[in-house]
């Protein structure tokens, strides 16, 4: 048989092709379109975040004049009463109640009350007549001291004391006030000059301007 070798070669070739085809199916790699259930590195990594920045607190603005302090550049004008004149700060609100004229601005107040007196006041008379009235009319009255001093208008009785202000109708706050009451007198005329401001206010200079300015008409 002349064709036997050719047939043998053909059968061998077919067998080899079948073997290669079968082995390839058992070890095939995943196709490019196949997906994996394993999470990716991006999915498992913790999200990055910038550290929170803390803004430093803003400094509290310092007031040039603490509450109650009268500015050093405060201008004054001369108020003329029936028997006296006195310098008071410009721009303050003015009000009248009976014989008392008041000038107010924020937490400060000036009151002038003229009257007549048979004798000039003394520290002793102020203690027995004026202080009891103050004690009954000024909330939480606390007497400081009573002294006899001199001002350009003459000898004066000075009463210092503390008391609570009226309650603010808006904020409800009550201020602890310091009072200076000067009792001026001349020829049967008398003037009670009262200077009022918060206890911690520094109004020494403006109060001296006012008390030094009293003149009799």
């Amino acid at each position: 048989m002349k064709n036997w070798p050719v047939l043998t070669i053909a059968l061998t070739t077919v067998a080899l092709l079948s073997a290669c085809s079968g082995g390839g199916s058992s070890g095939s790699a995943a196709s490019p379109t196949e997906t994996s259930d394993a999470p990716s590195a991006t999915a498992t990594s913790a999200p990055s975040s910038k550290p929170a920045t803390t803004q430093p607190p803003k400094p509290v603005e310092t007031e040039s004049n603490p509450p109650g302090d009268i500015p050093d550049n405060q201008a004054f004008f001369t108020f003329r009463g029936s028997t006296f004149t006195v310098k008071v700060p410009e721009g303050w609100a003015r009000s009248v109640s009976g014989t008392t004229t008041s000038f107010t601005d924020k937490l400060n107040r000036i009151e002038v009350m003229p009257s007549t007196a048979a004798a000039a006041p003394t520290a002793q008379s102020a203690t027995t007549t004026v202080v009891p009235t103050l004690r009954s009319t000024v909330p939480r009255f606390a007497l400081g001291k009573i002294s006899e001093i001199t001002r350009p208008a003459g000898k004066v009785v000075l009463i210092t004391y503390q008391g609570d202000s009226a309650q603010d109708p808006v904020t409800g706050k009550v201020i602890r006030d310091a009072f200076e009451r000067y009792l001026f007198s001349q020829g049967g005329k008398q003037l009670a000059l009262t200077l009022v401001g918060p206890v911690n206010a520094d109004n020494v200079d403006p109060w001296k301007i006012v008390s030094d300015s009293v003149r009799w008409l």
Side-chain angles (χ1 to χ4, degrees), residues 65 69-76 105 203 206:
N65 292 295
D69 279 17
I70 300 172
D72 293 337
N73 60 352
Q74 174 66 56
F76 292 79
D105 180 69
N203 290 330

Side-chain angles (χ1 to χ4, degrees), residues 79-94:
F79 170 73
R80 185 183 181 93
S82 57
T83 59
F84 67 94
T85 62
V86 62
K87 288 184 178 180
V88 295
E90 289 184 354
W92 287 25
R94 176 183 171 184

